[in-house]
Amino acid sequence: MSFEFIIPSQKDDLLNKTEINQYVVDEVLSFREIPSALQSVKSSFRSNGTQCLLEKFDVFFSILILKKDVKPDLKEDAWQLILKVGKSLATEVAGVLEETSLEPGSRLAHLNQVKMLCYLLCQYMEMFEDDSNEKSDVITTGKGRKNKKSTDMAIDWEVERENGVKTLLHLVSLNILRLWDPPIAEVEFVNMITNLVYKLLENPHIVYVKAKETRTAIFNIVGVMVKRYNHALSASLKILQQLQHFEHLVSPLAEMTSIITTEYGNKSVVAEIMREVGRKDPKDLVRDNTGTKSFATFLVELSEKVPGVMMSNISVVLCHLEGESYTMRNGVLGVMGEILLKVLSKDSLEDKLKDTRDQFLEKLEEHIHDVNAFVRSRVLQIWLNLVNEKCLPLPRHEHLLSLCIGRLQDKSSQVRKQAIQLVTAFIKSNPFAAKLSLEDLKANYEKEKEKLESMAPEEQSVLEDSTLVKIEEEWKPLEKKLRKALKKLEGEEEMEEDNNEELIQDEESANSVMDRIYNLLTEEKFSDAKLLLAAFKDAFPDNSFLQDTTKESQSEADTEDSQRSTDANIDLGHMKMIFFGHKKQSLVITSGIEEEKEKDPIVNEVTKQQVLVQYLKDCCAFATQIQAAVPVICQLLGSKTNTDILEAIDFFVTGFEFGVTLTMMGIRRMLHLIWSRESSVKEAVVSAYKRLYLNPQGGNQRAKAFSIVKNLSALLSGASLGDLTSLEGLVVELMKSGEIEQSVIQMLWERFAMKVPNTTVEDSRAAVTLLYMIAGADMGVVKSNIDVLVKEGLGERAENDFILARDTCLALLKLGPPKKVQGQLQAEPFRFPQNHQMFDRLQTLLINGVQQFENSYWIPFGEQAINVIYKLAEHPDIICGDIIKALAKEVIKAEQLNQTLSQETPMEEEKQEETEPKETDPQDASPSNSQDASPSNSQPSSQPSSSATVILTRLIAFAGHVAFRQMVHLDTYVFGELKRRRAIQEQKKDMKTPKADRRGSKVDKSTAEAIEDELGLAGAAEEDADAEYIRKVCDVEIVTGDSLLGSIGPLLVTVCTNQNRYSDPHLRSAATLALAKFMLVSSEFCESNLQLLFTVLEKSPYPTIRANTIIALGDLTVRFPNLIEPWTPHMYARLRDESQTVRKNTLQVLTHLILNDMVKVKGQISEVATCVVDHNERISSLAKLFFHELSHKGNAIYNIMPDVISRLSDPDVGVDEENFRIIMKYLFSFIQKDRQCESLVEKLCHRFRATKTDRQWRDLSFCLSMMSYSEKSIRKLQENFACFGDKLADEDVYSCFCTIISKSRSFAKPTAKTLIDELEQRLQQCHTKGLEDGEIAVKASQVSSQVAAQTKGKSRTKSAKTPAKGRTPARGKRGGQRRLDSSSEEDFVDGVENTTPAPRSKRQPKGRQARQKPKVSFDSDSDSEIELFDLDKSSQGQLILH
C-alpha cells in the first residue's frame, strides 16, 4: 500500500491532495448512486473483511458529504456497517499487535484502517448527534414542521451512541501506538477523538441514568488519552472550559477527573485544574457567577472522591478565601470540610497533618462571621457534618459552640437554620453525658471534687511539687527570651491599644483567650502574646485570674530590679501564670499515668479521680452553654420564618430527651403553635408532642396508658389559660389522628374517679380536664359517662373542691349540640329535664357552698354552672332564679346575724372594728326586694360583717352572669330554635300540599305576596319580627321592670356609686362587672348607667376594676355602638393610665374596635401613637402591630397623619421631642406613595404658619425630612417656601431641610437636580439672613427688658386691682374647669372630684347648655351620696384605666 490516510481538519481536505502519499477521495457519489454502492460495500465486507474499508471509504465519505439529501435509512445502514467493521477491525488489530515485530506494509495498512475507522466513527456520531439534538429542539419548541428527511430516525440513538463509544474505546484501549513509527500518534488523531467525546458530554441527556454506560466509556476514553496520548494538559483546560459553559457537567466531569486520577494514575490533571482555578481573576469570578458556581461545586465533589490529591494542591486556591466571590469562598471551604472528614479525622495523625487540620479548622471558624450570609450558612453546614461524623477535636467544642450560639440571632434565616441544627447536633453527638441536667451535673461535680480534695493530700502535694519543678525548668529559658521581647515592645504601647479591640471576638470566653496566649508563648510569638494579653485585660477586667496574678507580680517587683517598670512585671507575671496553669493541668495527668505504670498492681485512685472531676467540669461547661442557647431559640418559635420554627421544635424535642432542664420552657411555648396557619408547623408540633408524651418505652398496654396519662397531666401543671386552650387544640388534633387510644381514655376515667391507687386530688382534676379536652373531638367520651361525671365531679368531693366542680362543668359543656354552621339551621336542642340530678347537685353546691368564705373558686365555679344550666336545662331561667333567691336569703341571714351579735356583745364589736380595716364592707339589704335592699333601712353607723360582704359579692357576680347568659339564651338558642321550627313547618306544609295546589295557590296570591315568596322575603320578615321581639324583651323585661334581675339592678348601682360604704375591692369589682353585663342586656339600662360606668373607669383606685371595665366597654361598643360613640374620647384617655395592665387592655380593645370598623379613626388616634414609645415593651409592640395592620386599610395612615402630628407636637398635651421623632419615624415608614408624599409636603408646609413655638418648627421640619421626594414634591417645597423660610434660622430646622436636599440629590433625575440646587441656595440664604436677624433681636430684647423693668411696679398694681374678665388664676383659655366649693361634697365621687363629662345630647339645640342631671342618691347619709355632672366638652379630665 503506497498511500497514507491523514486526519483532515475539514472534509474538503480529503478531496485535495497536498502530499505525495496522501489518500484522497477520487469521486463523491451522487445520492442516486449511494444505495447500490452501499450494497457493494456490504458484499466487499463479506468477502474481504476489514480490507473493504480501504477500498470503499469513498462511499461512506459521500454519505457524510450528502447527509442532508441521503435518506435516514441509508445513513443508518452505513452506520451499522461501520460498527461491524469496527468490531472486526478491533479483533484483527489486537491479534496483529500481539506479534513481536510488524512488517512495514502490514503496519501501514492497519494504521490507515484504524484512522479511517476512527474518522468515520467520529464523523457519523457527530452527524447523528446533531440530528438527535435537532429533533429534540423541534419537539421542545413545538414550532415549525419537522424535516422527516433529516430528523426522523428509526434507530434508538441512545443505544447506538453507546455502541459507537464502546467501539471507539475498544480501539483506543489497544496498544495501537505501535502502528505509528515512531510510536507517537499525531495531535490531529487525539483531538479528533477527544473533541467527539467532549461534544457528546455537552448533551444534557448524558447525565441521565440510562446513559451511565455511555458516560463511563467516555470517561475511560479520556483516561486512555491522558495516560497514553499525552492529553493531560489539554484535558484539564477542556474540563475548565466545559465547566464554565455547561452546568450539567459538574458531577460527570468530577467523576471523570477522579477516574483519571485513581484508575489511570494521573494526578497532574487535578493539579493543573486547581492551579488554573487559583489563577482566576476575582473580578471575573464575581462577574460570571454561573461559571464560578460550577467551579466551586466541581472542586467540592472532586474533594469527596480524591481528598488526598486535593489536599496536596489546596494551597493554590486558598487565595480565593479573601476574594470577593462568595461562591468561590464556599467552594474552597467545602473542599476543606471534605478533606477534614476524609483525611484529617483519623486518630493517629502526624504532627504535620495535625497542624494542617488546625489551620483548616481555624479558617472555618473565621468564616462563621463572613460578611456574606451564604458563606456563613455553608460554613455552619460544614461544621454540622464534622460534628455528626464526630471529627471535631474535643478541645474545640466549647469555642465552636459559643460561636454557633452567637449565630442564632443572625439576620439571615438560612444561617439561623444551620445554627440551630448545629446546636442540636452538638447535643446528639456530645461526648459528655446522655443526660445534660445542669443541676445534677453540678451536684456530681461538687461531690467528686470534695472527694478528690479529701483523697491522699500527701500524694497530691508530692505530685504537685514534682510537676512544678518540671514546669520551672521549661519556663526559665522561655522567660529570658520573653523579658528581652517585652523591653523591645515598650515603645509600641499606643499601637497595641489601638488594635486590642479586634483581637478578641464577642463569643470568646476568658479560658479560650488564655489558651491562645499559651499557644503564642510556646510558639515564641511574644509580640502577639503581649497584644492579646492587653486585649484580654480590656475584655475581662474583673477576671479573678488577673486580680490574683497582679498582686503576685507587684510583690515580686518590689524585690527585683527597681529599674524595671511595674507594668512589664505584671505582664510577665500574667504570662507566667498562664504558662504554669496549662502545663500543670497536662503534666499532672501524664505524671499520674506514669506513676500508675510503675505501680503495676496498684491503681492510682487520685489520678482516676482527677480525670473524673475534669470530665464532670467539662460536662457542666457544655450543659451551661446549651442552657444559654435555650432563651434565644425560644424567641425563634415566634419567628415569621417556618424554618426557624421547625428547627427550634426539633431542638427542644432533642434537648428534652437529653434532660436539658430549660427546654421545658420551649416545650410549653410550642403549644401555641398548634394554631399556626402553616400545616407544616402544625404537623411538626403534633409530631413533637407525640414523640415526647405518647411513646412510653416498655410495659404492657395498661402501663403505657398510665405513663401517657401521667405525661399529659404533667403538662397541665402550672399551665396558664392560654396554655390550656392550646393544649386542648393539641389533644383534639391527637384524637383526630387516632394517637390517643381507648385504653388512655379508660385510664383517665379511673384516675378521675380515684380508682387508681395513689391518685391525688390534683391527678383527679387533671384527668377531668383532659377528658373535656378529648370530648372536643369526640363528644361521646362524655355523653356515655354523664352519671360518672355527676356522681364524682358534682358529688361529695365537689362540696369542698370547687375546682373539681368547675372542671366537671367544663366537661358537661361539651354535651351541647355542635356549633351552627353559617347558612344552615341550628341543630335540634339537646337538653335535660329541669329536675335532672345534674341541676339538683349544681343548685345544692352553689347554695351550700356560698358559706365557704375561704374558698375563692366559688365564683368561677358559679359561672361555669350557669353556662351548664343554660346550655343543657329545659327551663334555665327558673333554676337560676331559685338559686338567686336562695343566695339573697343567705345575705339577709348573714346581715341579721351580724346585727344580733353587734347588739348583744358590744365589746366584741369594738374588737372587730379594730381588726376589720382590711375586711370589706357588706350590704345590709335583700337583693330580691329593691325597697329592702336600700341601705337607708339599716343603721348607718354599723359596719356589716365580712361574711355578708362575701355572700353579697357572690350574689352580685352570679346575678350578673345570669343576666348575660339569659341574653345569649334568647339571642342564640331561642331565636335559632324559632327559625328551626319555622323551617320544619314550611317543609311539612310543602310536603302536604300537592304540586297542582301549589301552582293554584300561587295564582290566587296577590302579586306582592308572589314576589315575596319568590325572593324569600316573607320568611325574612318573620325572622326580623322575632329578632325585634327578642330585642324588646332584653330591653324591657330582663334587667329592668319588676323582674328578679330588675330588682338587683339598683343594688349594683348603689354599690358602684358608694365607695365609702362598700369599700371591699372584691365586692366593687364584682359589682362593676355585673353592672356591665346588665348594660349589655338592655339598651335602656345601658343608657341610664353609662355615665356611672365611665366614672368608675376614670375614678376607681383599683387597676383591676379599671382594666375589667375597659374590656366591658369594648363589648358594649360592639352591642350598642351609637350609645358609646360620644364617650370614645374617655376610652382613648385610658391609654395614659398609670397602670400597664389598663393601658394594654385599652390598646387591645381599641385595636379590635378600629380594625373591625366599630369605631371611627379620629384625632384621638394620636393617643395610640404615644403607645409606640411606651416603656412597656409589650404595649409598644402591640401599638406597632396596630399601625401595621391599619396600613393595610387603604389610605388610613395617610389620613390620620396631619392630626397626629398636630396633637403630638402640641406642647400642652403632646410628647417630648425625642419620643415624637421615634413615633413619626415609625409612622412615616408606611407612607410610600408619591402622591401621598406630595400632598403631605404641602399640608405640612402650610402648618408652619400656624406654629407658635420653636419646638413645633423642629417637629414639622423633621416630619418633612422623613418622606421620600420626587420632582413634584421638591416643586411643592419651592412653591411653599414662604411658609417656612423665616424659620430656617433655627439650626435643627435648617439641618432637617439639608437632610431633604441630600436625600433627594442621591435619587433625583437630571431634570430635578436644577430644582434641588435652587432650593439649596434659597435655604442657605435664609439660614444666613436669619442668623444675622437673630443678633439684632438679641440687642432689641435687651433694650425692651430695661423698659419693662421701669413699668413693672405699675403693671403689677394694676393687675392686682382688675383681674381679667371671666378668668381665674386656676382657669386657662381652654379646658377650663368650674371652681368648686371645698366644703361641698356633692361634686366628689367616692371622695375624688368627678371630672367625667357627659356627652352633649344631639337633640339639644346649639348654644343651649345641657341641664345638670339630678343627683342619684341611695342613702340618707350625705357621705354616701354621689352626683354625676355634665361638664363642658372642653374639659380636659383624664381617665385612668387598669
Side-chain angles (χ1 to χ4, degrees), residues 412-649:
S412 168
S413 60
Q414 193 64 25
V415 178
R416 295 195 301 270
K417 173 187 174 183
Q418 297 295 340
I420 302 173
Q421 286 183 352
L422 182 52
V423 176
T424 307
F426 264 113
I427 297 176
K428 292 180 180 178
S429 306
N430 84 87
F432 301 109
K435 293 295 179 183
L436 296 171
S437 174
L438 185 58
E439 293 77 10
D440 296 342
L441 289 173
K442 282 185 175 179
N444 290 337
Y445 170 67
E446 295 297 334
K447 178 182 175 182
E448 298 299 334
K449 187 178 178 183
E450 291 177 2
K451 185 178 177 181
L452 174 63
E453 292 173 354
S454 64
M455 288 175 63
E458 295 180 1
E459 291 185 20
Q460 186 71 18
S461 61
V462 172
L463 187 63
E464 288 181 359
D465 291 340
S466 60
T467 303
L468 289 173
V469 171
K470 293 180 181 178
I471 299 173
E472 190 68 35
E473 291 175 356
E474 293 184 28
W475 170 251
K476 284 182 180 179
L478 189 64
E479 183 182 14
K480 293 179 181 178
K481 298 178 183 178
L482 184 56
R483 286 184 186 278
K484 293 179 181 178
L486 290 177
K487 284 182 180 180
K488 293 180 181 179
L489 295 169
E490 283 179 1
E492 303 176 8
E493 290 181 359
E494 295 181 1
M495 182 183 69
E496 293 168 7
E497 291 176 1
D498 294 339
N499 297 331
N500 284 349
E501 296 179 358
E502 303 175 359
L503 294 175
I504 298 179
Q505 299 173 355
D506 295 338
E507 296 84 355
E508 281 195 283
S509 62
N511 291 334
S512 62
V513 178
M514 287 194 285
D515 291 342
R516 290 171 57 192
I517 294 172
Y518 170 76
N519 292 332
L520 291 172
L521 287 174
T522 54
E523 295 170 8
E524 297 188 4
K525 296 179 180 179
F526 301 127
S527 59
D528 294 340
K530 186 176 184 299
L531 285 172
L532 189 57
L533 180 62
F536 176 73
K537 292 178 183 179
D538 294 338
F540 306 98
D542 299 329
N543 192 279
S544 58
F545 166 78
L546 287 176
Q547 296 171 358
D548 296 341
T549 53
T550 301
K551 293 177 183 177
E552 293 178 11
S553 301
Q554 287 176 345
S555 62
E556 289 178 6
D558 295 337
T559 58
E560 294 179 2
D561 190 356
S562 59
Q563 294 180 354
R564 297 175 189 169
S565 65
T566 307
D567 292 339
N569 287 330
I570 292 173
D571 289 345
L572 187 64
H574 287 154
M575 293 181 186
K576 180 178 179 180
M577 294 304 294
I578 291 172
F579 184 85
F580 271 60
H582 282 72
K583 279 290 182 182
K584 183 178 177 182
Q585 186 175 356
S586 59
L587 288 177
V588 162
I589 297 175
T590 53
S591 60
I593 294 171
E594 292 173 0
E595 196 172 322
E596 285 179 6
K597 292 179 180 178
E598 294 174 3
K599 304 176 183 178
D600 276 333
I602 303 170
V603 178
N604 191 333
E605 295 294 335
V606 175
T607 305
K608 289 178 65 177
Q609 191 67 21
Q610 286 175 339
V611 174
L612 177 59
V613 169
Q614 185 62 39
Y615 162 74
L616 289 173
K617 184 179 179 181
D618 293 340
C619 288
C620 289
F622 179 77
T624 303
Q625 285 185 297
I626 296 295
Q627 296 271 47
V630 171
V632 182
I633 300 179
C634 266
Q635 294 178 356
L636 294 178
L637 286 174
S639 172
K640 295 180 181 179
T641 309
N642 282 353
T643 53
D644 289 346
I645 300 172
L646 296 176
E647 296 301 336
I649 289 172

Side-chain angles (χ1 to χ4, degrees), residues 1191-1202:
S1191 66
H1192 299 320
K1193 298 175 74 68
N1195 296 325
I1197 299 288
Y1198 163 75
N1199 293 334
I1200 66 171
M1201 285 301 289

Side-chain angles (χ1 to χ4, degrees), residues 1325-1392:
Q1325 289 173 1
C1326 288
H1327 175 61
T1328 306
K1329 184 175 181 298
L1331 292 177
E1332 295 172 354
D1333 292 344
E1335 294 175 359
I1336 298 172
V1338 169
K1339 295 178 181 179
S1341 64
Q1342 293 174 355
V1343 175
S1344 62
S1345 62
Q1346 294 174 1
V1347 176
Q1350 295 174 1
T1351 59
K1352 188 175 182 182
K1354 296 180 181 180
S1355 61
R1356 182 181 301 170
T1357 306
K1358 186 176 179 179
S1359 63
K1361 290 180 180 178
T1362 57
K1365 186 176 180 180
R1367 298 283 181 87
T1368 66
R1371 183 174 181 182
K1373 215 172 191 180
R1374 298 178 58 208
Q1377 186 174 341
R1378 183 177 57 183
R1379 188 174 181 178
L1380 304 175
D1381 189 333
S1382 60
S1383 63
S1384 173
E1385 295 182 2
E1386 295 177 352
D1387 296 338
F1388 286 76
V1389 179
D1390 301 337
V1392 183

